């Protein structure tokens, strides 16, 4: 059911044992928002845990507040009277964390995806927020005093979902919140260093291999490339090492839509879609069972071979650029 932010705040205040859950393949906004809301609830005197269903990529661990995050295994068997799902457009995106819910649905959903399905007993979703971390900040500043750790988790979410303050979703509210969080002790430098400057030599080798598969279509407006399971094995990389690669494709001059196909595990191809200024790539993701934002979306295809995933997505991306 759709709910106001006031209603969500009242429900959170009524919690005694709360569980905050983020989405699979976690990004900085999911990680920062889950950890921050967990700390806010603890400071309100509640028993609170934060869960990320997939492993948290190692470089986020450099941000101290992420130590509160737990895996599904670590929380199995625990009882909660309040479950909160953040930064997640549909229930399937919490993966195996669904087994931690007491009922079929979470009690509260806090999100900003245009593709949100409206799940949850109370659902607050507002796509005008650039990051869920901004919504958590809206909640947090009404309830608790911040310390540096909390401010830094929120700045992590805000920075990553705005491409470090360079996407089209950056408005005055984003800079105002960033200034507030900086005043409360957060520093953008360690966040930028952890998130943007963590490539290993093996990841660079994988990037070279990925770039060697680059194709341009639609007069140079569409760029796509792939990472095969074999390329991952050869370079000693895992799928999480491809994080940021699709941004390299979008960085090409004249490209509006960038698509990266990653095959992992075999039999599954994850499709990351990005656009630069106007194309709504969430429409392509949605048509293939995924979701996301107008400028950043994704879906997963179950196909026997990587090559089978490419033509239908490329055709859909071409139609999108042709305005179809
Ligand atoms: Mn987000």
């Amino acid at each position: 059911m759709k709910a106001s932010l006031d209603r969500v705040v009242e429900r959170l205040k009524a919690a005694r044992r709360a569980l905050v859950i983020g989405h699979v393949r976690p990004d900085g906004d999911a990680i920062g928002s889950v950890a921050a809301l967990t700390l806010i609830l603890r400071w309100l005197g509640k028993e609170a845990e934060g869960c990320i269903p997939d492993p948290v990529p190692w470089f986020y661990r450099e941000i101290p507040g992420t130590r509160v995050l737990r895996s599904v295994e670590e929380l199995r068997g625990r009882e909660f009277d309040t479950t909160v799902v953040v930064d997640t457009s549909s229930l399937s995106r919490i993966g195996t964390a669904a087994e931690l819910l007491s009922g079929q649905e979470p009690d509260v959903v806090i999100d900003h995806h245009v593709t949100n399905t409206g799940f949850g007993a109370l659902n607050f979703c507002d796509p005008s927020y650039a990051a869920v971390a901004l919504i958590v900040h809206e909640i947090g500043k009404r309830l608790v005093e911040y310390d540096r750790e909390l401010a830094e988790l929120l700045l992590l979410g805000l920075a990553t979902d705005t491409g470090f303050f360079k996407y089209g979703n950056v408005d005055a509210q984003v800079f105002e919140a960033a200034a507030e969080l900086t005043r409360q002790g957060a520093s953008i430098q360690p966040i930028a260093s952890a998130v943007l400057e963590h490539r290993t030599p093996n990841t660079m080798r994988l990037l070279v291999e990925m770039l060697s598969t680059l194709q341009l279509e639609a007069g140079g407006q569409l760029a796509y490339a792939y990472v095969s399971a074999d390329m991952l094995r050869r370079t000693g990389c895992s799928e999480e090492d491809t994080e940021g690669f699709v941004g390299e494709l979008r960085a090409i001059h004249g490209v509006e839509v960038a698509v990266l196909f990653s095959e992992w595990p075999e039999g599954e191809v994850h499709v990351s879609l990005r656009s630069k200024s106007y194309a709504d790539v969430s429409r392509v993701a949605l048509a293939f069972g995924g979701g996301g934002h107008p400028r950043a979306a994704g879906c997963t295809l179950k196909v026997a071979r990587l090559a089978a995933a490419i033509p239908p997505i490329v055709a859909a991306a071409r139609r999108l650029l042709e305005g179809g």
Side-chain angles (χ1 to χ4, degrees), residues 23 27-30 33 87-88 111-113 129-133 157 161 293:
H23 57 78
D27 57 13
D29 192 28
S33 297
D87 197 33
T88 302
D111 189 31
H112 68 140
H113 290 87
Y129 285 91
V132 165
D161 261 24
H293 303 287

Side-chain angles (χ1 to χ4, degrees), residues 197-235:
E197 296 169 343
H198 62 259
R199 281 197 180 138
T200 62
N202 280 353
T203 313
M204 293 306 277
R205 286 182 197 105
L206 183 64
L207 178 62
V208 170
E209 293 221 17
M210 183 277 282
L211 289 173
S212 74
T213 73
L214 170 67
Q215 300 283 330
L216 289 164
E217 284 202 27
Q221 294 180 83
L222 170 62
Y224 64 94
Y226 64 82
V227 169
S228 67
D230 189 50
M231 283 157 62
L232 290 173
R233 267 192 297 269
R234 223 174 19 242
T235 53

